[in-house]
Amino acid sequence: QVQVVESGGGLVQAGGSLRLSCAASGSIFSIRTMGWYRQAPGKQRDLVALITSGGVTNYADSVKGRFTISRDNAKNTAYLQMNSLEPEDTAVYYCYTIIQTSARDALFKYWGQGTQVTVSS
């Protein structure tokens, strides 16, 4: 059983910062990819940022230069540092992972429960 728990959301004024955390636990052999998607009301769930086990990152154009994703492989945890937040960043942020649960298993996707980020103007 794999559990993915995220935290760090909240209410912040425009220009402020938040740091999201996503921790995976349970039967984990390796975590290939970690990151976040976000979904605003009435909108599609879109990619925010991803980081591979080798540290390669990918960002949505809308957050480049403002958000930084990192990971601590020893803790099976990823972090999303969000600076210069804008009202357009308001959404539910969902942690996304690709995990191999044993040496013989294929890769599977796991989602966090979501955390609300609200940016006021």
Side-chain angles (χ1 to χ4, degrees), residues 45-117:
R45 186 177 297 189
D46 292 327
L47 173 71
V48 179
L50 294 174
I51 184 167
T52 71
S53 59
V56 178
T57 59
N58 184 37
Y59 297 94
D61 288 341
S62 59
V63 307
K64 286 181 179 177
R66 300 188 298 118
F67 291 10
T68 302
I69 190 168
S70 61
R71 64 189 285 173
D72 184 337
N73 290 328
K75 297 181 179 180
N76 290 330
T77 300
Y79 306 94
L80 185 67
Q81 180 66 46
M82 306 188 297
N83 298 326
S84 301
L85 283 162
E86 304 167 352
E88 292 74 21
D89 296 316
T90 295
V92 177
Y93 285 67
Y94 295 93
C95 182
Y96 168 84
T97 66
I98 300 176
I99 295 174
Q100 185 176 359
T101 57
S102 77
R104 296 178 179 267
D105 287 340
L107 304 177
F108 295 95
K109 299 179 179 69
Y110 297 89
W111 291 92
Q113 80 281 6
T115 185
Q116 176 71 47
V117 171

